Amino acid sequence: MPRKCSTGHCSNILPEDYTFKTCERCRESARAYKARRKAAKAAENSNEGSRRSPRSSPASSGPTSVEPAETDACHPTTPCASSRSSIEPLPSIDRSISEDPEFSDITYDDAQALMVALRTAATMDDITFRGRYYISADALISYKERVDQTVKEIWQVTGYRWTVHDHERLDNGHRTRLWCSQDEAHKKAAKPSTKPDVKHRDTLGMTRYPCKSSLSVTCKAALAPTRDNLDLVVSVALKHHASDDHRPYFDVTLPLEAIEIIRRQIEWAKPNEILREVQAKFPHVSAMQVHGAWAKMSEVLWKRDLEQLPSARILLKEFRNDVDVFDVETPEGVEQLCWGMKLIAKPLREQTVEIGLDATYDTNSKHLELYSIMAEYDNAGFPLSYCLLSTATSMDVQKRKKALKAWAEHVREMYNVNPTFVHLDKDMGEIGMAREVWVAKIQLCWWHLRRAVRTRLAKNKLSTSPYNPQRAHGEFPFIDIAFTPPGQPDPTEHEGGLDAEAAAVSDGPEKRSVNALFIRLPGSYIPNSSDGTSTFPEEPPQHLHASEQCQTDSEEVFSATAPRAGAYAAASPSLTIRIPSTAERAASATSDSHDGAPSAAARVFCPEEYREHIVDMMERHLCAHPLIPGYSHPSPEGIREWAVREIYNFCVDHDLREVWAYLWENWYRPGRWELWARAPHPQIPRLKTTMLLESHWRKIKHDFLHHFRLPRLDLLAWVIVKQLARTYYRKLDMRLTDTGRYRELPDWRKAFKHEWKRCESASCIVPFKSKYRPNPFRWVCTCPYFSTSRFLLCKHLVRTVHSVEPIFFLQVTRNRTTPFWSHPTLIPLDNDEILAIGGVIDGPHASTPIEVLPRRPSVIERQCASIISQQDDIANDSDSDDDVIDVGIKGTYHERMTATIALLRDLADGLEFQLQFYDNRLLEAVERDTAGAIRLARNIQQKERDANSMHASPKTWEASNVMYYHPRPSSSHSRHATAGANN
């Protein structure tokens, strides 16, 4: 096989009998380069020697002997080896210190003596230093590694950091030349990023100074071994001019100990938790550094492919013990990845009554939407499944709805998820999907509904959703057909999107105002030229189009007589003229008004003083239910009629025509009322909002993705499965496992207890007013506060039961039908007492409380011996067993302590033996892995100093790891104690 020239840029073929690795042309270029380099070096030395007078190095302390500097055979890298296409001189660098023969190296005993001398020299403004030391060779450390370690130590000693200029490989060693990182003469030019859509920022680097710096560190084999067989020599030549305002280099790199903290906790701790620990030790470390290091070091855990979606799919299949990856058929152009959380979904199989579905955005760099289905259990949310979806490039009709339907069907079939309630926001695509997958009550989130209504009422745009007064009047005769918005509707305004019924209304003929007059004028007609006669269209145009009920006050009415039949043939379409009503003219004048203060008669969509009243009415309508008496006929139909009548009468009383049209078409008409009102279903759900999903998104974004700018899909999947899900595993296990202790109870129980105590202490007139009729047996009340309260509580009901025991707040169960709360200790008062205060009793069995089996009967049957104090908040037990630690060494105290002392002494002896090798890598490993022991030793020293000092003030707190350490007495205290014993 023919050989090629070893020079990187050369492709010449070498002869078979050629003995060299490079071609003759490259060899000639190398020889010429060496000759020119040698001549330039000689001329530079001659010029420098003539300009400068001899002077000695300021660092003269500590040398054992002074010897002339050794001349090493320096063979710089040839252009072939450095892949240079032409012979060019090296960049300019000050070589006066490293190559001036008038300066002699001072030989020091070892590296420590050289660094001590260099530290002394660094205190001067102008540093000129040359020194060397001998050391034995180590097969595990190369020449370059020895140089790198020396450079790092010089940085620690001088306080100035050095940037590498070049590396020279010598025949018998290695040399590195550097300059100060803050030298303004060597500042690199800024290179703007060429990435697309990049934001160029005015970021300034560190301050630069006229250092005129140079540093040369050489490690090579000694010409002749010394008497101690030290066969390597390390030479340091440094020059640095520091002005008065030159600041030492402030290191912003991540310390090794901080990196080790991140590496040690990368699989188990959140980035924010790691950040707090790192910044406690290294305050200069920023959050971006920690999160960047966390993402980089964790790549081995989650990155499986360069492409993000295949990498995430491969990663999830590796977690087969935790998740189920769904094989979903996706249409062309749809990107979708779905998986189920089997460790959560299987324990909750057939126990899921309520679920929530929602999506979030800006969680990944591919801009896929992240969907989640969460199950409600004990008023807390647990994620059942996730879906990453993007339909941006698909042309399929209803693409998003089909993709979500395929995902939801997999969840339903695999985990037997058949809920009674599905909580959603007002997105019509999600609503349509949920209706096709589950036979369940769709319940819109009250928080999203309230925000949407408040936002629309605050706008001054008068045009609103297309309103059909005939359909509203046909369902409720008390709705006046004439009570309509005067302006034109906006066919694009529909809360949550356009559904099928709204589309049918929008696609129909334009609704004509009953107060508008339409006049259609016939077009031009010409005689029929074919037979000389004239013809008229079969259906003559209608000249006057107006409602029979239309009565005009000051409108001008135009009339026209129809032309004779057969006189003309139509040649152009007819022209329709619409004369607006007075109300429409006022609305048009308001909408066309320009900048400036509106007039007093200017019409607005909804005045500010009515907005909150409308929102409060809608909340009452949402919470009304046949199980809760006091509003209307106890039926879904009666409640809807009451709600529509109340909101309609309010709009009529205040002439809010546009508001009524908006509310009816978006919230109160058939097809929309059933989505948000509780009344259509026989049960009342526990959840009122989808805040469990919003809290879930907050945990993902705030705790993990806050400092990542759109992370990769595989990183997002790993965070969800391996980081975030761990908290839900533990929380679910605490709910399902009866440990005999009430630890880490749900947050809602503490809020429920607070609300109960507030109702218990609230002032109340006894007997109650006639309109307030509490029934403790069904746990309902007719007061307005009861239906809208979070926990279905009121002060009237609390007064109709006996005082509850503290265990009640730990075990009470929330039901979805009457009675809404059940517990053996929730006992109503006697019938006479209830009637006396104005309550209601049910039938002959009213004296016995209705029992509903709780979800955890073993807890209900527990004796009250474990009742905690009523004054204490619900919190963790203090007698925890979490502090028991296994130290790993078995035996008695003396045996274990002796073994530990022997181990530490042996470690110290071994480390002392390592001093001769001067290997910084070992030192860094020891400092990293024994950081805890070093902190303990320093705390012990501080405690002994404080104990033996006569001036130290007593401390209230001390380090917890030395709390049980007994300080040793000082030598003076020991002598006094011995003299006292002898006397």
Side-chain angles (χ1 to χ4, degrees), residues 485-555:
Q488 290 295 320
D490 183 3
T492 62
E493 182 177 313
H494 293 278
E495 294 288 354
L498 187 66
D499 57 357
E501 295 186 16
V505 175
S506 300
D507 294 340
E510 178 184 352
K511 180 183 73 65
R512 300 182 183 275
S513 174
V514 295
N515 292 324
L517 182 66
F518 291 85
I519 298 178
R520 178 175 296 172
L521 300 179
S524 58
Y525 294 87
I526 58 175
N528 192 337
S529 59
S530 60
D531 53 0
T533 62
S534 301
T535 59
F536 195 76
E538 297 179 1
E539 296 183 0
Q542 183 178 359
H543 298 278
L544 182 63
H545 181 85
S547 174
E548 296 180 358
Q549 294 83 8
C550 176
Q551 301 293 333
T552 58
D553 297 331
S554 59
E555 297 179 0

Side-chain angles (χ1 to χ4, degrees), residues 703-983:
D703 294 347
F704 295 97
L705 307 182
H706 179 61
H707 289 282
F708 298 121
R709 176 56 185 166
L710 302 178
R712 286 171 54 97
L713 291 175
D714 40 14
L715 173 57
L716 175 63
W718 181 80
V719 164
I720 292 175
V721 176
K722 286 299 182 180
Q723 296 285 317
L724 181 65
R726 192 179 298 113
T727 61
Y728 290 99
Y729 296 157
R730 183 176 181 274
K731 184 167 66 172
L732 182 61
D733 183 67
M734 296 293 293
R735 302 289 194 280
L736 298 176
T737 305
D738 184 7
T739 62
R741 294 181 181 270
Y742 303 101
R743 304 178 67 223
E744 301 189 32
L745 295 174
D747 295 335
W748 71 267
R749 289 191 178 273
K750 187 173 183 179
F752 171 76
K753 179 180 179 181
H754 182 270
E755 178 68 10
W756 183 284
K757 295 296 183 182
R758 191 195 64 80
C759 293
E760 196 173 40
S761 61
S763 61
C764 187
I765 300 176
V766 178
F768 305 139
K769 296 181 180 180
S770 58
K771 61 180 180 179
Y772 300 153
R773 309 291 290 174
N775 187 337
F777 302 101
R778 298 177 55 206
W779 199 260
V780 293
C781 184
T782 58
C783 68
Y785 181 80
F786 173 78
S787 63
T788 58
S789 67
R790 174 187 175 187
F791 298 109
L792 294 179
L793 283 179
C794 71
K795 60 183 180 180
H796 310 103
L797 281 171
V798 173
R799 277 174 168 75
T800 59
V801 296
H802 291 282
S803 297
V804 295
E805 301 289 346
I807 199 172
F808 166 78
F809 301 106
L810 306 177
Q811 298 178 346
V812 66
T813 303
R814 167 76 181 268
N815 305 311
R816 296 179 177 87
T817 186
T818 55
F820 295 110
W821 294 102
S822 59
H823 190 266
T825 63
L826 187 62
I827 303 173
L829 301 175
D830 295 337
N831 294 348
D832 296 338
E833 295 178 323
I834 295 176
L835 294 175
I837 63 177
V840 178
I841 58 176
D842 283 338
H845 303 289
S847 58
T848 304
I850 303 174
E851 293 190 14
V852 177
L853 290 179
R855 181 163 38 229
R856 300 169 61 185
S858 60
V859 176
I860 298 300
E861 298 169 358
R862 194 174 309 280
Q863 299 298 327
C864 292
S866 60
I867 297 177
I868 63 174
S869 172
Q870 184 174 356
Q871 301 300 325
D872 296 337
D873 288 334
I874 300 173
N876 298 338
D877 293 342
S878 59
D879 54 342
S880 175
D881 298 330
D882 297 338
D883 296 330
V884 179
I885 301 175
D886 184 7
V887 298
I889 302 177
K890 306 299 182 182
T892 64
Y893 166 79
H894 186 271
E895 293 171 348
R896 290 163 53 191
M897 181 63 80
T898 304
T900 303
I901 293 172
L903 181 62
L904 294 177
R905 282 178 177 167
D906 185 67
L907 174 62
D909 293 341
L911 294 178
E912 188 174 1
F913 179 75
Q914 303 300 318
L915 287 174
Q916 57 183 320
F917 303 108
Y918 214 82
D919 192 347
N920 283 277
R921 296 173 300 180
L922 174 64
L923 176 60
E924 293 171 358
V926 172
E927 291 176 341
R928 178 180 64 247
D929 296 336
T930 61
I934 292 174
R935 285 195 300 271
L936 174 63
R938 290 173 178 169
N939 292 337
I940 288 175
Q941 290 178 347
Q942 183 63 39
K943 184 170 184 177
E944 289 191 336
R945 283 195 296 267
D946 295 341
N948 297 321
S949 175
M950 301 181 62
H951 304 286
S953 58
K955 293 184 177 179
T956 304
W957 301 102
E958 62 181 358
S960 60
N961 56 357
V962 296
M963 182 181 301
Y964 307 109
Y965 180 82
H966 300 277
R968 294 169 291 180
S970 62
S971 57
S972 60
H973 291 177
S974 300
R975 288 194 299 270
H976 293 316
T978 304
N982 295 334
N983 295 333

Side-chain angles (χ1 to χ4, degrees), residues 7-45:
T7 305
H9 67 275
C10 183
S11 59
N12 292 338
I13 303 299
L14 303 178
E16 295 182 0
D17 55 348
Y18 196 72
T19 58
F20 301 103
K21 293 183 179 180
T22 57
C23 64
E24 193 62 33
R25 178 182 176 183
C26 294
R27 285 170 53 79
E28 183 63 29
S29 299
R31 286 192 291 268
Y33 174 81
K34 288 182 179 182
R36 295 177 60 180
R37 178 73 178 273
K38 186 175 180 180
K41 181 178 178 180
E44 184 179 357
N45 290 340

Side-chain angles (χ1 to χ4, degrees), residues 458-474:
K459 293 181 179 180
N460 285 329
K461 189 185 76 167
L462 293 178
S463 59
T464 184
S465 306
Y467 173 55
N468 190 334
Q470 288 79 12
R471 185 172 63 173
H473 176 76

